[in-house]
Amino acid sequence: MKKYLIQFKPFLLFIVTFFFAYIVLTLLYKLYLNSFETNDVDGVTNIVGRNVEQVIQLFNCDIRIQKNQLNPYLEVWYNEKFTVRIVEGCNAISVIILFISFVIAFSGKFKTTISYILLGSLFIYILNVIRIALLTVLLYRFPEKAHILHGVLFPLIIYGLVFILWIFWINRFSKYAK
């Protein structure tokens, strides 16, 4: 048994570190979410909504984002038509937590790790805002394609880019980079 623990130590260390970071960050995020009323939209989702509105306004498009009166989400009105809603799960925090946990599990030098986490998280956030803005316009024009756009294409893009960030991290900056 000891032989296997020694042989698989790097893998086991990765698993323990990853899950520890993931659980701690998820619990902290859950505490943050619990600080809001049941019918309230959290602060990060509100900021994402404002940023989506700003991105679409850059193209002089008619956009209005408002809090739903009865439910905890933001309504996105594009060209006077209710197009999408932005819920807490749309703010990319869960994706960022996953990204951070992975980078911590394959950490490198402290300063490099922190810098990569901050820049990578910002990149994911910006990509997510652009994703929601594009989704708004595309769902307005092609509402019948909602499943493929929201359920397949855009998750593939965001998770695919996070995967590329991980590969880049492992090969360039982690303690396992050659």
Side-chain angles (χ1 to χ4, degrees):
M1 182 72 165
K2 185 177 177 183
K3 174 182 133 185
Y4 291 115
L5 286 175
I6 292 169
Q7 181 181 357
F8 295 112
K9 183 180 176 184
F11 173 73
L12 295 172
L13 203 57
F14 164 78
I15 292 292
V16 168
T17 306
F18 174 83
F19 280 112
F20 179 77
Y22 185 78
I23 290 167
V24 167
L25 292 172
T26 301
L27 288 174
L28 289 172
Y29 182 54
K30 184 71 175 154
L31 284 172
Y32 165 76
L33 289 177
N34 288 341
S35 70
F36 293 90
E37 298 294 322
T38 305
N39 200 26
D40 209 7
V41 177
D42 68 277
V44 176
T45 304
N46 276 316
I47 294 169
V48 167
R50 278 199 306 265
N51 291 152
V52 168
E53 190 171 40
Q54 292 166 338
V55 166
I56 293 177
Q57 285 174 345
L58 286 173
F59 299 97
N60 293 322
C61 296
D62 179 30
I63 183 79
R64 179 171 40 99
I65 299 181
Q66 65 188 31
K67 160 86 174 72
N68 180 278
Q69 297 301 318
L70 302 174
N71 299 296
Y73 62 80
L74 301 174
E75 298 175 347
V76 180
W77 293 78
Y78 182 75
N79 290 336
E80 301 298 321
K81 180 181 174 192
F82 175 68
T83 310
V84 297
R85 50 180 188 206
I86 302 173
V87 298
E88 176 271 321
C90 298
N91 66 21
I93 296 300
S94 60
V95 176
I96 291 170
I97 287 172
L98 192 63
F99 167 76
I100 291 171
S101 300
F102 187 87
V103 172
I104 288 172
F106 273 113
S107 64
K109 295 178 182 168
F110 181 77
K111 194 173 182 180
T112 307
T113 302
I114 296 299
S115 298
Y116 197 81
I117 285 172
L118 292 174
L119 291 173
S121 297
L122 180 62
F123 177 74
I124 293 167
Y125 178 87
I126 291 169
L127 177 69
N128 185 58
V129 168
I130 294 168
R131 175 189 77 93
I132 296 170
L134 283 172
L135 196 56
T136 299
V137 174
L138 289 172
L139 287 176
Y140 173 79
R141 295 181 193 254
F142 309 104
E144 71 280 1
K145 304 289 185 191
H147 173 71
I148 194 85
L149 291 170
H150 184 267
V152 178
L153 183 63
F154 283 98
L156 181 66
I157 291 170
I158 198 157
Y159 284 112
L161 286 167
V162 168
F163 182 73
I164 290 168
L165 286 173
W166 287 341
I167 297 300
F168 186 73
W169 170 254
I170 291 169
N171 290 322
R172 296 290 299 257
F173 302 113
S174 78
K175 59 187 167 199
Y176 300 103
K178 292 181 180 179

